[in-house]
């Protein structure tokens, strides 16, 4: 990601801070705020933390006019530019610079503990972002330097795909549909072939005498219609005249008189 060094962002603003003159460090154990004259601050005003590129700047300004009192450029945190005291969380020692190469250490204190917490978090978040940007830049440089993998097909190169798990449909699995006009199966209990059972008693059914329909169709003929040679009801009369046949009576046939 390209950095815009001309853009300055605001990280934190606190309306009231105090500046103290601090004595030289007596030992390597750190600074103690109890050694300062906390009831007699050397200066009081407004504090701003800004960021420009990778650098952060602690600016002490007049709360009424905005005139710059002192500035501390911060290139890393925690570091030698900002150091917390050993006996309080509301006081820090910062190194200020005048832009001509000269620097000095002063004490910075906050009236509220929440303001000192915001001061600490603002610096931590900024340099955490700087670290992530540096790691991302290294990763991009490593990827660009590595040879790219060519996955394109060469001339004449082919690829095979196995489809062994796909099952083919059974050609004989489909059932044939019955042809139109086919005969229905016989009813339950019936005999195949469509044969009609003879009546009980061994007698054959009486068939009606054939009727000659030819004269009826010839409307223009003068020939009289021929009468049958025998009575059509003769067979029924002869079948019913044998009244002594007990088998016929028992068989359930109706007698005609």
């Amino acid at each position: 990601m390209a950095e815009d060094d001309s853009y300055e962002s605001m990280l934190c603003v606190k309306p009231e801070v105090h500046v103290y003159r601090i004595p030289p460090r007596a030992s390597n154990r750190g600074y103690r705020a109890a050694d300062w004259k906390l009831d007699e601050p050397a200066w009081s005003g407004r504090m701003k933390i800004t960021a420009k590129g990778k650098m952060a700047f602690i600016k002490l300004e007049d709360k009424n006019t905005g005139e710059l009192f002192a500035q501390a450029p911060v290139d890393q945190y925690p570091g030698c530019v900002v150091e917390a005291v050993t006996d309080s969380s509301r006081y820090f020692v910062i190194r200020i610079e005048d832009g001509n190469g000269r620097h000095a250490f002063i004490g910075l204190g906050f009236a509220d503990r929440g303001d000192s917490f915001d001061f600490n978090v603002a610096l931590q978040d900024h340099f955490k972002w700087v670290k992530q940007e540096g790691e991302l830049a290294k990763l991009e440089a490593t990827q660009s330097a590595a040879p790219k993998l060519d996955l394109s097909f060469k001339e004449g190169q082919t690829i095979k795909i196995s489809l062994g798990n796909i099952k083919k449909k059974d050609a004989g699995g489909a059932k044939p549909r019955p042809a139109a006009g086919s005969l229905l199966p016989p009813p339950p209990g019936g005999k195949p072939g469509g044969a009609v059972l003879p009546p009980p008693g061994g007698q054959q059914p009486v068939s009606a005498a054939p009727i000659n329909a030819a004269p009826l169709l010839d409307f223009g003929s003068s020939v009289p219609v021929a009468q049958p040679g025998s009575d059509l009801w003769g067979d029924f009369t002869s079948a019913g005249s044998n009244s002594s046949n007990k088998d016929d009576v028992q068989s359930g046939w109706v007698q005609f008189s």
Side-chain angles (χ1 to χ4, degrees):
M1 183 183 295
E3 297 179 359
D4 186 6
D5 294 336
S6 62
Y7 178 74
E8 186 175 19
S9 61
M10 187 70 64
L11 302 181
C12 181
V13 178
K14 293 302 174 182
E16 184 178 4
V17 295
H18 305 289
V19 173
Y20 302 92
R21 291 186 178 94
I22 60 176
R25 187 190 303 225
S27 63
N28 293 331
R29 292 182 300 179
Y31 293 96
R32 296 179 68 252
D35 299 335
W36 309 344
K37 295 179 180 180
L38 298 180
D39 55 347
E40 296 179 3
W43 181 87
S44 296
R46 178 176 59 198
M47 183 208 70
K48 290 181 179 179
I49 302 179
T50 62
K52 195 173 183 181
K54 296 181 180 180
M55 293 290 295
F57 298 90
I58 302 173
K59 297 182 179 182
L60 302 177
E61 301 175 348
D62 187 276
K63 64 175 61 175
N64 297 321
T65 63
E67 182 181 0
L68 182 64
F69 172 74
Q71 177 175 270
V74 185
D75 56 353
Q76 63 179 357
Y77 183 79
C80 62
V81 179
V82 180
E83 184 180 353
V85 299
T86 59
D87 58 345
S88 177
S89 62
R90 295 191 294 118
Y91 297 95
F92 301 85
V93 175
I94 64 175
R95 188 182 71 178
I96 60 175
E97 296 181 3
D98 62 355
N100 296 322
R102 295 181 298 179
H103 65 273
F105 290 93
I106 62 174
L108 180 68
F110 297 90
D112 187 79
R113 195 178 303 274
D115 293 341
S116 63
F117 176 79
D118 295 341
F119 169 79
N120 192 22
V121 170
L123 292 174
Q124 286 180 351
D125 289 347
H126 172 72
F127 287 100
K128 182 179 180 181
W129 171 81
V130 171
K131 182 179 179 181
Q132 291 176 350
E133 288 294 311
E135 293 176 352
L136 182 60
K138 291 180 181 179
L139 180 61
E140 291 178 353
T142 304
Q143 291 178 350
S144 60
K148 295 183 179 180
L149 186 61
D150 186 10
L151 299 179
S152 61
F153 283 96
K154 305 300 184 293
E155 185 177 358
Q157 187 177 5
T158 59
I159 186 173
K160 284 186 177 182
I161 300 177
S162 178
L163 301 177
N165 294 330
I166 299 179
K167 296 181 179 180
K168 296 182 179 180
K169 292 184 178 180
D170 188 4
K175 296 182 178 180
R177 299 181 62 183
S182 61
L183 298 178
L184 296 177
K191 293 184 178 181
V196 180
L197 296 178
Q203 294 185 359
Q204 299 295 329
V206 179
S207 60
I211 300 175
N212 189 6
L216 298 177
L217 299 176
D218 191 4
F219 294 100
S221 176
S222 59
V223 180
V225 178
Q227 297 294 330
S230 61
D231 189 4
L232 296 177
W233 300 99
D235 293 338
F236 291 98
T237 304
S238 61
S241 61
N242 190 6
S243 61
S244 63
N245 192 349
K246 295 181 181 180
D247 294 335
D248 294 341
V249 176
Q250 293 177 358
S251 62
W253 287 86
V254 179
Q255 297 182 359
F256 295 89
S257 58

